[in-house]
Amino acid sequence: MKRIGVLTSGGDAPGMNAAIRAVVRMAAYNDLEVWGIQHGYAGLIKNSMQPLSTRSVADIIHRGGTILRTARSEEFTREAGQLKAIEALKINEISSLIVIGGDGSFRGAMALVERGIQVVGIPATIDNDIPGTDYSIGFDTAVNNVVDAVNKIRDTATSHERVYVVEVMGRNSGHIALAAGLAGGAESILIPEGESSLTELCQRVIRGYQRGKAHSIIIVAEGYRPPGVEEIQSPGMYVGQFIREKTGFETRITILGHIQRGGTPTVMDRVLASKFGAKAVELLLAGQTAVMTAIQGNNIISVPFNEVFSGQQEVDLEGFRLAEILSRP
Ligand code: F6P
């Protein structure tokens, strides 16, 4: 193995650049050459790649997004696309690849593994929904972005004594909502993994005001669905309107959207990304394939893709209960 490829795939996550930097520099330290593949698997199919020198990754550790760009490739899900990808790797004499992305990106990578390419994954998604690792790159920054927004909303919520519903990202999971709710002192948190009755939520809001609370902040994960309701565009809008109708309180709704995914990565994400990037190169050197770097406790380890695909990334239900207790007026 002399030349390795690196790509970022799926939704971007702050810290991806720090991971690319670590891959390139750890590879150089071990006399390996790294080629950066543009636009994820879509770029791989088009043979869009170039060498990355140690200098080319200078001044990126603090930048959100990904210098390699990213994409979700429909073509790569089909065999014809996968064969083109293999061909591009062969032409450029790359037999080892580091994929920075979510578990969907790792599932895609299996098509390459089955055709003889050595692949190591680095978990990166703000959703933190990848089984096998306590944290994925980008989660900490996203949560900090949300808490920053909630702090600001809290000021105006108190002034007007309003209810604020804040919808946060998390397509199928409530990790962002939970951590931001606990850190931001939210009165209630609604997540896909929990069963929360909106009627009880309204009673809680009313009780809070009766006991002298100046405002209520409700954090709703975008993947949350009220019991018995499937088809809604925005759970935040739904919950806000529900509270307004049932309680009569002045209610405002904020959908934070992609603001959560941008900005300079936090220290935690930079450190994690640096460790994951270095570990990924070490795993390739050790001959491992179809594995992902992971953090469990304080240990940086590797987890086989098969365990990632069959596992569950449980939400912190203790944290959920704690947030509820601590926000009681
Ligand atoms: O997977 C990360 C994520 O930010 C989800 O939380 C969100 O549902 C989705 O990506 C949004 O995707 P897009 O950027 O394609 O709109």
Side-chain angles (χ1 to χ4, degrees):
M1 181 190 53
K2 281 273 181 273
R3 182 176 292 166
I4 64 180
V6 61
L7 61 81
T8 48
S9 168
D12 67 344
M16 279 181 160
N17 283 328
I20 295 166
R21 171 181 177 271
V23 165
V24 170
R25 298 217 167 146
M26 187 50 128
Y29 179 74
N30 286 284
D31 296 323
L32 302 172
E33 196 182 314
V34 179
W35 281 39
I37 298 155
Q38 302 277 328
H39 301 108
Y41 294 122
L44 180 55
I45 288 169
K46 291 188 186 131
N47 193 9
S48 170
M49 57 182 88
Q50 63 202 36
L52 291 175
S53 68
T54 52
R55 288 311 313 149
S56 71
V57 292
D59 274 340
I60 64 168
I61 194 167
H62 62 297
R63 280 169 51 193
T66 161
I67 57 161
L68 292 176
R69 310 281 192 266
T70 186
R72 294 189 173 102
S73 170
E74 188 52 39
E75 195 181 354
F76 188 71
T77 60
R78 293 188 291 275
E79 195 179 12
Q82 292 159 8
L83 292 175
K84 281 188 205 167
I86 294 281
E87 193 51 34
L89 289 169
K90 275 198 185 139
I91 290 170
N92 296 298
E93 294 174 9
I94 296 170
S95 55
S96 306
L97 188 65
I98 292 176
V99 173
I100 306 172
D103 54 350
S105 304
F106 303 154
R107 282 176 204 275
M110 283 310 289
L112 302 177
V113 171
E114 279 152 18
R115 291 178 170 86
I117 305 295
Q118 186 191 16
V119 179
V120 169
I122 296 180
T125 164
I126 64 163
D127 286 0
N128 203 35
D129 59 352
I130 306 177
T133 184
D134 296 348
Y135 294 105
S136 55
I137 295 171
F139 171 66
D140 188 61
T141 307
V143 172
N144 275 283
N145 286 340
V146 174
V147 171
D148 186 43
V150 168
N151 290 343
K152 290 168 180 154
I153 285 171
R154 180 181 280 275
D155 288 344
T156 177
T158 307
S159 306
H160 289 266
E161 300 187 346
R162 283 173 175 157
V163 177
Y164 265 87
V165 175
V166 183
E167 183 184 303
V168 302
M169 277 185 166
R171 203 187 337 230
N172 302 310
S173 69
H175 294 277
I176 296 177
L178 250 180
L182 185 55
E187 273 62 39
S188 294
I189 305 167
L190 299 174
I191 55 173
E193 297 88 343
E195 285 174 16
S196 309
S197 139
L198 290 186
T199 308
E200 273 171 34
L201 172 75
C202 290
Q203 285 161 358
R204 218 171 121 76
V205 169
I206 294 168
R207 265 200 315 273
Y209 280 92
Q210 284 168 347
R211 292 183 189 163
K213 276 208 172 208
H215 63 245
S216 269
I217 294 174
I218 323 284
I219 308 267
V220 183
E222 68 173 318
Y224 167 76
R225 292 293 173 271
V229 183
E230 291 295 324
E231 290 299 309
I232 42 173
Q233 244 199 334
S234 153
M237 297 287 281
Y238 184 94
V239 171
Q241 276 156 13
F242 190 95
I243 296 173
R244 192 180 289 139
E245 276 163 29
K246 299 286 177 218
T247 68
F249 288 134
E250 221 186 323
T251 305
R252 295 288 185 272
I253 301 152
T254 301
I255 299 173
L256 290 181
H258 288 79
I259 282 174
Q260 294 161 88
R261 235 165 59 186
T264 186
T266 58
V267 169
M268 178 168 159
D269 274 329
R270 293 183 202 193
V271 170
L272 192 65
S274 300
K275 288 185 176 173
F276 278 175
K279 180 77 175 179
V281 173
E282 284 167 7
L283 290 171
L284 286 180
L285 284 167
Q288 293 220 38
T289 188
V291 295
M292 171 190 89
T293 64
I295 183 165
Q296 290 182 8
N298 280 328
N299 302 316
I300 303 290
I301 57 164
S302 70
V303 174
F305 279 164
N306 285 340
E307 281 180 30
V308 178
F309 301 153
S310 59
Q312 280 277 324
Q313 169 71 319
E314 307 288 349
V315 286
D316 173 19
L317 287 176
E318 256 177 54
F320 187 60
R321 277 188 290 276
L322 183 62
E324 196 269 321
I325 291 168
L326 299 184
S327 68
R328 285 185 191 177

